[in-house]
Amino acid sequence: MQVKLFVGNLPWSVNDTVLTQIFADHGEVQSARVISDRDTGRSRGFGFVEMETNDIGALIQATDGHEIDGRNLRVNQAEEKPSSGRTSYDRRDRY
């Protein structure tokens, strides 16, 4: 089954390729994306991985706490972003 994981506490040195490599040993990675700040382009320290797995609990247990550059990863099943009920047409300038 395909799952989407939230991966937090990433070191700044981790990019999409490194994130893919971390999870590749545990199944087929469909996508891996480190989220970056839109203004600075620097990593925000978290990302998302979509992959195939038969046992999400075992996958999370195997990767949660994995150390990279002195930081322990936090891995959880991603939660869907709640819909605000607004569309892009409803947005108004805040200033």
Side-chain angles (χ1 to χ4, degrees), residues 3-10 19 23 31-35 44-51 56 59-60 63-65 72-80:
V3 297
K4 186 172 186 177
L5 301 171
F6 169 84
V7 184
N9 204 31
L10 290 171
L19 190 58
F23 285 86
S31 69
R33 182 166 179 231
V34 175
I35 306 303
R44 293 189 56 201
F46 69 93
F48 295 94
V49 175
E50 290 181 292
M51 62 184 298
I56 189 168
L59 173 62
I60 290 173
T63 54
D64 187 43
N72 295 327
L73 299 183
R74 300 298 306 151
V75 180
N76 298 300
Q77 188 167 6
E79 298 175 7
E80 291 298 318

Side-chain angles (χ1 to χ4, degrees), residues 62-90:
T63 54
D64 187 43
H66 180 83
E67 186 179 329
I68 299 179
D69 294 343
R71 299 183 71 130
N72 295 327
L73 299 183
R74 300 298 306 151
V75 180
N76 298 300
Q77 188 167 6
E79 298 175 7
E80 291 298 318
K81 189 175 181 180
S83 175
S84 66
R86 297 175 68 186
T87 64
S88 61
Y89 302 112
D90 295 333

Side-chain angles (χ1 to χ4, degrees), residues 4-31:
K4 186 172 186 177
L5 301 171
F6 169 84
V7 184
N9 204 31
L10 290 171
W12 308 129
S13 61
V14 172
N15 59 24
D16 295 351
T17 304
V18 173
L19 190 58
T20 299
Q21 292 169 350
I22 293 167
F23 285 86
D25 291 339
H26 305 285
E28 183 182 345
V29 176
Q30 305 295 323
S31 69

